[in-house]
Amino acid sequence: MFSKALFKQSIKANWVKWISVTTATCIMLAIVIIVLGNLGINDIRDSLKDVFVQADQESQLKEQAVDGYELYVSSATTYPQLHNTMVQGFIQSIISDYQTQLDTLQGQGDISAEQKQQLMQQIANQYAENLDSIAMGTKEYKASFFYNSLFYYDTNSTSLDYDDLIDYAYLTTVYDMAYAQFMAGENATNEEAVMKAIMAKTTAQTAISKYKELGENANYQELGLQYMNTLMYDSTYNLQIQQGASADDAKLFAVSVKVISNTAITSYQFWLNEGGDVTKEEARANACQSISDQIPEKVSEALTELGNMDMYSLIIGSIFYRIAGLLLPMVFVIMAANGLLAGQVDSGSMAYVLSTPTKRRTVAVTQMVYLVTALFSMFALLTAVSVIAVFVSGGNDFAINYGQILLFNLGAYLTMFAIAGFCYMCSSIFNRTKYSLGLGGGLTIFSLVCTILGLFGSTVVPSAMRIEPMNFFNYLSIITLFDTNEIMLGSLDYIWKFAILLGVGLITFIIGVFRFEKKDLPL
Amino acid sequence: MSELIEVQHLTKDYGQGRGIFDLNFSIKKGEVFGFVGTNGSGKTTTIRHLMGFLKAQSGSCRINDFDCWKDSTEIKKSVSYVPGEIAFPDLRTGTEFLKAQAELLGLKSMDRANYLCQKLQLDTSANLKRMSKGMKQKTAIVAAFMADKDILVLDEPTTGLDPLMRDTFLELILEEKERGKTIFMSSHLFNELEDTCDRVALIHNGRIIDITELNDIDNLPTKTYKIGFTNNDDYKKFKRLKFEIIRSQPQYNQVTVKIDNAQINDLIKALTRYEVQYVAEIKFSLEEHFKQALKKYKEGQNV
């Protein structure tokens, strides 16, 4: 089943190819990993990330400033007319409704505080649902406002003052709404939400007291701006000091926040005053734009994706292990597989081996063992080189860890194993080099080219550079079964794909061996 | 078991009249069997069947009572082969090739190989790729003969050899024959077969037309002589005698006569009366014989 003499002969015939291909591939791999490891190609990605993170923070600060300003101004201007004149009448009828129902309930027996609250909530919701005519915000706002009014009435029914009631209801509702709004956001903590709510309430309170002090004719826009700028400055400064910054640094940072606040509010004012039909929402959005909002959506998406792209796995996995690193081993396999059988049959030199008492099966098996062994030793060396290169680049802290690099090598070997099997089968079936190389080598190179073209359609390429239809080429290539991206993402799907590659290799090798035993040889 | 190689009804049809059809022959132990035919007549195809490289469509060929296809490994224990097309494995020098071949053959000693190299004046240290055609042929011959097996199958073994080397090679064949080897050898050159073979088969368009014992040709009952006379008178007088004249050329005063071996003395006596310029025997060659056989075969086909 195995001929040592023939094996030696195959080594002698192919060692130059083997050495040159192995050396070149190893050097390429070492350079790729070590150079990438030292250049820090992810720096660009990190700085891109910073830009977007900063822009996000700035945008949040602006929103905070504008929202506060808006609350201040609306509290100082719309609050008096709305709540003193229009709402008061409704509140009175709500209160009397509540009192009637409460009396009825109390006539039936004692009533707990919980039941009372339920009744308040019920009536508040009812009125909020039915009172479409009052222009005072959303249903939730109305419900909250009415509930707070009833709550105040309930606790202060003995000496009820409607002005105080409305102040209380207004401010508490501001608090509630701010709390709810913050809690609806991502990563919200109760503590922060309470802080924001208190700030909102304070702002509204300040505005109302200013109104009571100065009356209708004061310039609340100017006052709101000043108030918010100061508030932003103070809160930032305090926060910085709390977090351990020096007074100077805290001051500097607070000033920059104040500038942002001032800019945002001023531009909000401009949009409202001079923007024509611009609604408050639009004005707010325009005023709070950050860098990422100003660039077109597609560009910003592309930049974000570029920032999130993993250059290491793209270059080492998708480009080196699936394309560049496979090319030379492919050339070796195509040439060696052809030379091991078809080449020798075509030239006639196989006659010398077969005119000795060496079985055809022995010849076929020996040549197969040579091809598999040559490939295996090539990839064993490549694995050693890659592991050393990863070690040099920082070991498991490197962007690609030892486990992943070992899987890359295993995958590349299995891919080459399948390709070698196919080339070997072609070499066994055909007596002519031109057909063996044509089909075996042709299809192999076709696969590689398809993988190159398919790369432009695959998800590892950022969408700015991706051409979706090109992904079609990936379906034409056996290399697609070696998915480096899946390995990087930690999916276990690569296991069954590796099994297919192994199966393809085994089956084609077996077909090759049996075919060579049975066919006519023109020797 | 005197029939060492036996081919029966061997057929391989490649279509369009190509291939070999219903070949039958057998070779005895110790015999040198020649196989002659034009290019593309089926010599190599037959040999490939003997070596077990091709599977017969129908019929069989057996060596040492082993089927050449099924037991091809078994027959190679007693058969050496010089292929018609010389191409060596991808190795550097002739020495390296012979060593690799010896290893495949399980040969311990290279003595026989060295002897053959010496006899054929072959320098095996030369690079295989740079060898001339003759050197390659010699290397192939050494590779086959060094195993010292009982049967030699040679496909046009003298191609590329210079005339002197060809003689050396034919000597070698006779030497092997002395040592009891059975040799199957194809060629398209008649004279080298005449010098070495016991029997020769003629193959044409895939069919064996004739198999001849060379002894029969050498010892024919009749012989042909060409006689030239110095003058026309003698020529005319001789023509009147009762010898069977198969060709006469008056312009050269020349006749060709065919006589029984028993008549030779009558002829000599008759010739003493004339002025004879020369007497030459026209050898009835293998080539002549096959030409006639081929002619007969073609006529037979046309009818």
Side-chain angles (χ1 to χ4, degrees), chain A residues 3 5-6 8-9 12-13 347-349 351-360 518-523, chain B residues 12 48 51-55 69 73 76 79 81 83 87-91 96-97 100-101 103-105 140 149:
Chain A
S3 159
L6 184 60
K8 272 201 263 179
Q9 207 167 307
K12 279 185 188 164
S347 76
S349 64
Y352 292 101
V353 178
L354 288 179
S355 61
T356 66
T358 312
K359 282 198 182 93
R360 283 202 200 182
K518 296 275 183 299
K519 72 169 184 173
D520 279 351
L521 292 170
L523 296 173
Chain B
K12 183 92 175 179
R48 283 173 182 166
M51 292 303 294
F53 296 151
L54 299 182
K55 190 182 183 187
W69 173 259
T73 315
K76 269 145 204 171
V79 177
Y81 176 48
F88 295 116
D90 200 353
L91 294 169
E96 209 171 291
F97 165 64
Q101 204 62 16
E103 199 171 348
L104 283 166
L105 287 162
K149 292 181 196 165

Side-chain angles (χ1 to χ4, degrees), chain A residues 336-383:
Chain A
N338 175 64
L340 289 172
L341 295 175
Q344 294 188 37
V345 172
D346 196 3
S347 76
S349 64
M350 184 64 85
Y352 292 101
V353 178
L354 288 179
S355 61
T356 66
T358 312
K359 282 198 182 93
R360 283 202 200 182
R361 181 180 291 188
T362 307
V363 172
V365 169
T366 306
Q367 304 293 49
M368 175 183 85
V369 169
Y370 169 75
L371 193 58
V372 172
T373 315
L375 255 190
F376 184 81
S377 45
M378 185 181 289
F379 276 87
L381 264 174
L382 210 57
T383 307

Side-chain angles (χ1 to χ4, degrees), chain A residues 5 131 158 203 248 306 315:
Chain A
L131 288 177
T158 43
T203 306
D248 283 349
L306 199 65
I315 292 180

Side-chain angles (χ1 to χ4, degrees), chain A residues 54-63 66 260 263-264 267-268 271 281-296:
Chain A
Q54 275 182 7
D56 250 21
Q57 285 175 343
E58 194 183 315
S59 170
Q60 272 175 15
L61 281 175
K62 283 177 170 172
E63 278 170 11
V66 170
I260 291 170
T263 314
S267 71
Y268 178 69
W271 278 109
E281 281 75 26
E282 284 165 352
R284 176 180 181 270
N286 288 337
C288 298
Q289 268 181 356
S290 71
I291 294 176
S292 55
D293 296 323
Q294 280 163 9
I295 44 184

Side-chain angles (χ1 to χ4, degrees), chain A residues 1 25 45 102 105 115 173 190 197 203 282 302 310 321 333 336 345 355 372 383 406 419 436 449 459 502-504 514:
Chain A
M1 283 294 269
T25 310
R45 172 184 129 182
L102 189 68
L105 276 176
Q115 280 171 315
T173 306
N190 187 49
T203 306
E282 284 165 352
D310 187 349
Y321 272 98
V333 161
V345 172
S355 61
V372 172
T383 307
L406 287 176
I419 288 170
S436 151
V449 171
T459 48
L502 185 69
V504 169
F514 280 99

Side-chain angles (χ1 to χ4, degrees), chain B residues 109-176:
Chain B
S109 149
M110 293 299 279
D111 292 350
R112 179 105 187 118
N114 291 335
Y115 165 74
L116 290 163
C117 288
Q118 207 182 346
K119 190 162 175 75
L120 293 171
Q121 296 162 22
L122 173 67
D123 175 15
T124 56
S125 65
N127 188 312
L128 275 177
K129 301 269 174 219
R130 274 185 237 127
M131 279 184 177
S132 69
K133 201 170 176 197
M135 276 179 91
K136 282 185 183 168
Q137 190 69 40
K138 285 192 228 170
T139 311
I141 290 166
V142 172
F145 281 56
M146 69 180 183
D148 213 10
K149 292 181 196 165
D150 293 339
I151 301 168
L152 290 165
V153 175
L154 315 173
D155 193 356
E156 303 198 353
T158 55
T159 18
L161 299 183
D162 61 60
L164 285 175
M165 199 41 70
R166 181 172 299 176
D167 290 345
T168 315
F169 173 70
L170 296 179
E171 248 171 59
L172 189 64
I173 294 280
L174 293 174
E175 201 179 298
E176 293 293 312

